[in-house]
Amino acid sequence: MKQLLTGDEAIARGAYEAGVRHAAAYPGTPSTEILENIAKYDEIYAEWAPNEKVAMESAIGASMAGARSMASMKHVGVNVAADPLMTFSYMGVNGGAVLVTADEPGMFSSQNEQDNRNYAKMGKFPMLEPSDSQDCLDMVKAAYELSEKYNVIFMIRMVTRVCHSKSLVEVGERKDVPVKEWKPDPMKYVALPAYSRILRVQMEDRQKALEEASENSPFNYAEYTDELKDGQKVGVIASGASFWYAKEVFGETASYLKLGFTNPMPKNMITEFCQKMDVVYIVEEDDPYIEEFCQRLGFKVHGKDTFPPYGEMTPDVLRKSLTGDTLPEVNYDHSLVNKRPPSLCAGCPHRGLFFRLGKRKDIMISGDIGCYTLAAGAPYNAMNSTVCMGASISVGHGAQQVFNRAGVKRKVVTVLGDSTFFHTGVESLINTVYNQSNTINIILDNRITGMTGHQQNPGTGYTVKGDSTIAINIEELVKAIGIRHVKVIDPNDLKAVDEALDSFMDLDEPSVIITRWPCVLKKFSQEDLNEFEGLFQTKDVVDPEKCIGCKLCQKTGCPALIFNAEDKKVTINRTDCVGCDVCKQVCPTGAILKESEAK
Amino acid sequence: MTKNILLTGVGGQGTILAAKMLTIGLMESGYDVKMSEIHGMSQRGGSVTSQVRYSEEKVYSPVIEKGTADIIVSFEKMEALRNLDYLKPEGGVVVINNVEIPSMTNLTGEEKYTEGIEEIIEGAASKVISIDATRLAGELGSVKAANVILLGTLVKSMGLDHIDWEDIIRRNVKEKFIDLNLKAIKLGMDLAK
């Protein structure tokens, strides 16, 4: 039966059909939906790990214990997971193991555009690159068979358009794969240098066998045409989504070599293809990975000399590179299109904090990855750095050390979310305590992992399957680490925000402020409803007689506040307003009231 | 011949559900279908675009090239203008929901919401169908059915009215909203005439 699935859904379906029993992940666009869909299958144990390293290690343990296992993450997540990954490649598997990496050419929701195919080469483990949803399902199933056959973890490298595009998939039944027996095997599972040296030698034989597998893989295939383009035989070598973009632009006038098994590369197949062509184009996203391989074989191919070295290789990009122009478009004045920048939602609990934090002078704000990174822009201008998950606290520590030793009077305030704190912020805070920086560290505890679309985390009290579990108490945790100055505040209370910041500003030791209020888009749990009284159940209104049109309320950046140019007054969109009262506290004339207070 | 449909709007308007029902209808009628979605971070209020491509032959790319959309269905006026360069210069159709959702820059007064968007689009497109889908959906019972009115106009305009859309609605909409949406799709189809 055919179904219309996204690539992420097809990976999950493939894992189900392949008999996977254990899956772990940390949310990250565009990979998040893989585990969310796997969690729907009762036959697969699924878990959100606090970070990608832990997810990878959980999958490694499951493989050792004999089950087919999967770890999935976004491309930068593999950086976090790289430590166990590189050594697990030496060890090999018991139950089949697959790592899915979701790369982001074009950086729709990521801080960089790294090409994770390089990890496969560096780690000497095999890699498959799906081009559409059917590939995703077929490759996952094949990867488990091959993983067990060749005794090695397989990596599946997706890109955003494969993850988030839907196409038709022929789905099948689940294969029941029993858990294999676990036996102690220190040579295999204990990475002592003496053992690793032996495994390292064996990897070379494995690599040769995998080269053979790549040459014979159905995922690598050529499509030849007799047609000539400008009197020449044109060949295109492509992998992933780029294959379909190339077909769109080169059409019937080119021959194709579609590569799906891309580490090791099928040397003979590429040689044969290139020898038959007069000119060869390599169409691939991110690095010249295939291109450099072809060059090493001695072929003069066109790749990054023709196409951009960055961004997606969508048909318009390829066409412009090849012909100098895109297809004709309608003419209109593009400057008439108004911007629609993303903004913190009405009722977002980050608003009150950043509105006040942005007013402070003589501080450096070290930020992190989350919805709250929007605080870097107007109207807050309340974030001075963002590097990677969990970096806020440790980058802030490094900066504070320099400021203090150089005699610069500048307090560092670090800011990160609850899920990001559990990800890698805890170790950073341990460093701050251990090496005694006097930073103020703010943990935005909105009771959920917000930006990736509301995943549970170790602080929420629920698992990915929706089961109740222990909610880790951030306040107790930071006290146990050694933080002696902790305040838990409601970030919608601007006076509380100011008082907390004031009280910690001159301390000589580290402090933590926990802003505890749920994300406005969260589906509230019973615990939320019990804890946060009257949660988002009121509305605010503007008294037009008192409004002087000063627009101070709009400096809070709330999208529910509308300024009417005709009467120079602000009104509040009743549908969007949830009564957080941040604007109410800012209004200098008391023009904003609770609906119940208004006449 | 591959046909290209671009649906666009502001997060929360129901573009994704409309695109989902559209693709299910196309798939069940035997077309090859690919769909690509770009949705930003999970905040409310951002621009949302769904691109749908279908053909009796194999569809290659899941993304539409600028200058090739057979039809743009915009749930909000500014989003129609933002995506107008995707429209085919010859024979392209634009369906606009006659609704203005101000962006942050409009709310703060940094930019004034551009006036005369319909006229600009009429100057560029071969055919423009402007519908008060939100108001009409409200009259039917809920403004949330505006997306299905627009879906009706879309499928009629693309000559896809032979597909049993009523059946697809019955299977993909919550039971208490089925009657409302059946009225909505019929109204949308009538408005395309």
Side-chain angles (χ1 to χ4, degrees), chain A residues 2-4 33 108-109 132 160-161 164-168 241 244-245 247-249 251-252 314-316 319 327-346 370-372 374 450-454 520-521 551 554 557-563 566 576 578, chain B residues 2 9-10 20 23-24 27 31-47 51 53 58-63 65-68 76 78-90 101-114 117 120 123-125:
Chain A
K2 285 208 163 166
Q3 291 184 4
L4 196 60
E33 296 90 333
F108 293 96
S109 324
D132 60 13
T160 310
R161 295 285 185 181
H164 281 173
S165 294
K166 284 189 176 184
S167 54
L168 296 179
W244 298 112
Y245 303 149
K247 294 268 281 192
E248 200 73 43
V249 174
E252 306 303 318
T314 44
D316 53 334
R319 202 180 299 281
L327 294 174
E329 295 167 14
V330 297
N331 290 318
Y332 67 106
D333 183 355
H334 285 69
S335 70
L336 295 172
V337 181
N338 295 166
K339 294 190 282 283
R340 197 180 291 282
S343 60
L344 298 178
C345 305
C371 290
Y372 47 85
L374 290 172
M451 185 167 62
T452 44
H454 298 135
V520 64
L521 301 183
K551 300 213 279 186
Q554 288 203 313
C558 179
L561 298 165
I562 306 163
F563 181 74
E566 285 79 33
D576 290 350
V578 292
Chain B
T2 303
V10 175
K20 183 184 164 193
T23 52
I24 289 171
M27 175 184 73
Y31 291 105
D32 190 25
V33 187
K34 285 190 176 172
M35 175 170 97
S36 184
E37 269 171 15
I38 288 298
H39 38 85
M41 295 186 279
S42 63
Q43 294 94 356
R44 277 182 184 152
S47 300
Q51 304 188 350
R53 309 190 73 214
K58 176 88 186 155
V59 176
Y60 296 147
S61 165
V63 296
E65 234 175 309
K66 285 184 179 170
T68 68
E76 196 275 344
M78 188 61 68
E79 297 312 305
L81 196 60
R82 191 184 315 285
N83 289 285
L84 195 57
D85 44 8
Y86 280 92
L87 193 69
K88 259 189 343 196
E90 305 287 326
I101 300 179
S103 72
M104 203 65 210
T105 55
N106 302 135
L107 294 176
T108 58
E110 182 194 321
E111 284 181 310
K112 194 168 178 299
Y113 195 99
T114 298
I117 287 179
I120 300 166

Side-chain angles (χ1 to χ4, degrees), chain A residues 460-488:
Chain A
T460 63
Y462 290 91
T463 70
V464 67
K465 295 265 191 185
D467 297 328
S468 185
T469 183
I470 290 182
I472 294 175
N473 183 317
I474 296 176
E475 185 182 359
E476 296 300 323
L477 174 61
V478 302
K479 282 181 180 166
I481 286 171
I483 298 282
R484 296 194 292 186
H485 302 273
V486 186
K487 279 190 199 299
V488 182

Side-chain angles (χ1 to χ4, degrees), chain A residues 344 348-363 365 375 379-383 413 415 442 444 489-502 505 513 515 552-553 555-557 581-583 585-587:
Chain A
L344 298 178
C348 176
H350 304 329
R351 171 165 291 107
L353 175 83
F354 286 108
F355 175 66
R356 295 308 303 162
L357 197 56
K359 307 266 179 225
R360 300 255 161 179
K361 307 290 175 214
D362 302 326
I363 61 170
I365 305 170
Y380 313 103
N381 303 314
M383 196 163 288
V413 179
V415 189
I442 304 177
L444 309 164
I489 61 166
D490 169 0
N492 298 318
D493 181 346
L494 301 184
K495 198 159 160 260
V497 169
D498 286 338
E499 282 174 2
L501 287 168
D502 286 341
M505 203 51 77
I513 299 171
T515 65
L552 272 179
C553 55
K555 299 276 185 243
T556 66
D581 289 351
V582 169
C583 60
Q585 297 164 76
V586 172
C587 179

Side-chain angles (χ1 to χ4, degrees), chain A residues 106-174:
Chain A
M107 295 177 272
F108 293 96
S109 324
S110 300
Q111 66 268 40
N112 77 28
E113 199 182 43
Q114 66 184 51
D115 187 336
N116 277 7
R117 293 180 299 178
N118 297 305
Y119 271 116
K121 215 163 87 176
M122 176 163 64
K124 300 176 175 54
F125 49 81
M127 165 173 61
L128 304 176
E129 280 187 74
S131 67
D132 60 13
S133 300
Q134 184 70 57
D135 269 356
C136 287
L137 183 134
D138 294 343
M139 286 182 177
V140 168
K141 288 169 77 174
Y144 281 100
E145 299 297 327
L146 294 165
S147 168
E148 289 174 3
K149 181 176 176 187
Y150 293 96
N151 187 26
V152 63
I153 183 172
F154 263 66
M155 183 169 88
I156 294 183
R157 188 253 191 169
M158 324 246 301
V159 294
T160 310
R161 295 285 185 181
V162 174
C163 293
H164 281 173
S165 294
K166 284 189 176 184
S167 54
L168 296 179
V169 181
E170 187 74 47
V171 298
E173 297 299 315
R174 177 170 170 91

